[in-house]
Amino acid sequence: MSVDLAPLVPYFSDLRGGRPLAALTGAGVSAESGLPTFRGAGGLWEGRRAEDLATAEAFANDPVKVWRFYEWRREKVRAARPNEAHLAFARLEGVLPRMTLITQNVDGLHQAAGSRRPIELHGNIMRDRCRGCGTVTAAAPAPFATLPPRCPLCSELLRPDVVWFGEVLPAGSWHEAETAAEGSAVFLVVGTSSVVAPASSLGLLAARAGAHLFEINPEATPIAPLAEGVFRTSASEVMSAIANALGAR
Ligand code: OAD
């Protein structure tokens, strides 16, 4: 099926010429790599409570339960490969002089596809962070032999280096994301339900600052009324079409 890019075409020459593009991605972008999204049928939060698995309180109460959930997700991430949507974002970096990729995803698939420096708002599931001394290390290639794992330096509990509900986003990443959104000429919101703050506010910030906002998602989300155009199909189809139209290899 071919995607009609007409609403975006008027901005292509500006973007090629150096006007800034920013994009915010969410779990929908990795869905076609076989990683479950969070909300909706089959989502990670179906039959599970985020409060029991993705908060500092849950971790303090039952670190083994929380780690089992993250080890299970890590195995899925280890087995996943970037899809055409991830590859299209990486290809675009080759033709757009100013492009900022902001992601809520913690799976590292944008980097695996070749995106040079995506802003990871919610951390990365394939890193461990010590709850005590704060040391961050890359996760081992295999699951831990015993749970919960402890820091080799200070013996405190290790946790996945992700942002949990109730925690603030890494300040530097958030500042960069806000700046990129507000400075963008075109802002793409791709594969996110746009319900988790503060990431969900980036599209609004961009639109208020004058960006042309587009949503790429098979389903409408709360950001849709602000969008100048919507593409109601998969991220891989639309992003590949955009990369091809811009001559990205
Ligand atoms: P959600 O699961 O909330 O939303 C995924 C979105 O992707 C939905 O709107 C789907 O319609 C859409 N979608 C599904 N398949 C798609 C495809 N092939 N192409 C394009 N879109 C598709 O995931 P996020 O919005 O990323 O936070 O969730 C935001 C945050 O909530 C996550 O980062 C996580 C979660 O709880 C934390 O863990 C802190």
Side-chain angles (χ1 to χ4, degrees), residues 76-151:
K76 287 185 181 296
V77 170
R78 286 186 180 105
R81 298 292 168 264
N83 65 56
E84 292 298 326
H86 299 108
L87 294 168
F89 279 111
R91 289 162 58 203
L92 281 172
E93 285 184 5
V95 290
L96 300 184
R98 291 172 71 193
M99 173 178 165
T100 306
L101 178 57
I102 307 161
T103 189
Q104 296 164 92
N105 296 344
V106 296
D107 54 36
L109 289 179
H110 280 303
Q111 295 91 321
S115 286
R116 278 186 296 250
R117 214 178 60 82
I119 299 172
E120 292 183 316
L121 290 179
H122 292 168
N124 191 306
I125 196 171
M126 299 310 289
R127 291 192 302 252
D128 302 319
R129 171 157 45 96
C130 176
R131 192 175 69 163
C133 67
T135 302
V136 175
T137 42
F144 289 106
T146 47
L147 295 179
R150 290 196 171 266
C151 176

Side-chain angles (χ1 to χ4, degrees), residues 163-204:
V163 176
W164 281 329
F165 289 98
E167 295 182 327
V168 289
L169 270 50
S173 303
W174 176 248
H175 178 69
E176 262 189 278
E178 248 185 332
T179 307
E182 289 177 338
S184 64
V186 174
F187 192 86
L188 306 178
V189 183
V190 191
T192 172
S193 57
S194 286
V195 295
V196 176
S200 56
S201 66
L202 288 170
L204 176 63

Side-chain angles (χ1 to χ4, degrees), residues 8 21-24 89 186-190 213-214 216 239 242:
L8 263 174
L21 173 86
L24 171 69
F89 279 111
V186 174
F187 192 86
L188 306 178
V189 183
V190 191
L213 182 73
F214 294 89
I216 299 165
M239 291 314 303
I242 294 172

